[in-house]
Amino acid sequence: MTDEKEIRALIGNHFEPMKWGEDSLPDWDKFREDFLPDAILCGAARPVQVRTLEAFIDRMENVARKNLHSFEEHTRGMKIMRFGNIAVVLAMSELTENGTENNYDISGYLLVKSEGRWSIAAHAWDQAGHDKPVPEDLL
């Protein structure tokens, strides 16, 4: 598989283990596999709070899952810039909360390739909305 195909597969499938609902739980071990152990995550809330992967998972388990009965997120479009063993990806995702509430966000990823495998070193995101529409090239 080419580097671009590997990156598209990594980011395209990244959120699948994070979904939950009435009959399913998130697979945090599978979710962790996409990241370097010391990866950082920066959510949409401001002021920005840099979180470790474990702190992000803990927040999802103790805040999000208590407030949301179901959650799904699917990557819908992406742009990749790659040089050698580094890549930057901008991706648009569709989120469905409680089965009916649809939202969109844009994620920025810093990826590195080591030992033949692409991994997420950093992930930051922001919510799309009327004041920040989804860029057409990510639709």
Side-chain angles (χ1 to χ4, degrees):
M1 191 180 315
T2 67
D3 285 317
E4 181 160 334
K5 285 182 180 178
E6 286 180 33
I7 291 168
R8 286 191 179 281
L10 172 67
I11 300 304
N13 297 320
H14 171 61
F15 295 112
E16 297 308 312
M18 197 171 81
K19 66 183 174 185
W20 66 82
E22 189 175 302
D23 299 324
S24 63
L25 297 173
D27 183 347
W28 295 122
D29 288 336
K30 182 142 181 64
F31 184 77
R32 283 181 184 94
E33 291 175 4
D34 292 345
F35 293 89
L36 292 176
D38 294 326
I40 62 167
L41 293 90
C42 303
R46 294 295 181 261
V48 70
Q49 293 183 4
V50 176
R51 297 185 195 276
T52 65
L53 178 58
E54 294 308 315
F56 172 79
I57 290 171
D58 185 60
R59 184 175 185 283
M60 293 301 287
E61 277 293 313
N62 292 303
V63 176
R65 284 197 52 222
K66 288 182 180 175
N67 295 314
L68 297 173
H69 303 292
S70 66
F71 178 86
E72 290 185 48
E73 186 166 354
H74 304 282
T75 302
R76 299 295 188 213
M78 71 181 82
K79 290 174 32 175
I80 300 169
M81 293 175 40
R82 183 186 70 81
F83 179 82
N85 293 309
I86 59 171
V88 176
V89 178
L90 203 59
M92 184 271 285
S93 297
E94 179 180 12
L95 297 80
T96 305
E97 299 172 341
N98 293 326
T100 58
E101 301 171 36
N102 288 332
N103 294 298
Y104 299 90
D105 71 24
I106 306 298
S107 290
Y109 298 91
L110 174 61
L111 306 179
V112 295
K113 186 175 185 178
S114 181
E115 299 178 358
R117 182 177 178 274
W118 287 97
S119 298
I120 300 169
H123 178 194
W125 60 95
D126 202 356
Q127 293 178 331
H130 296 294
D131 60 332
K132 293 179 288 187
V134 173
E136 287 190 27
D137 57 350
L138 291 177
L139 293 173

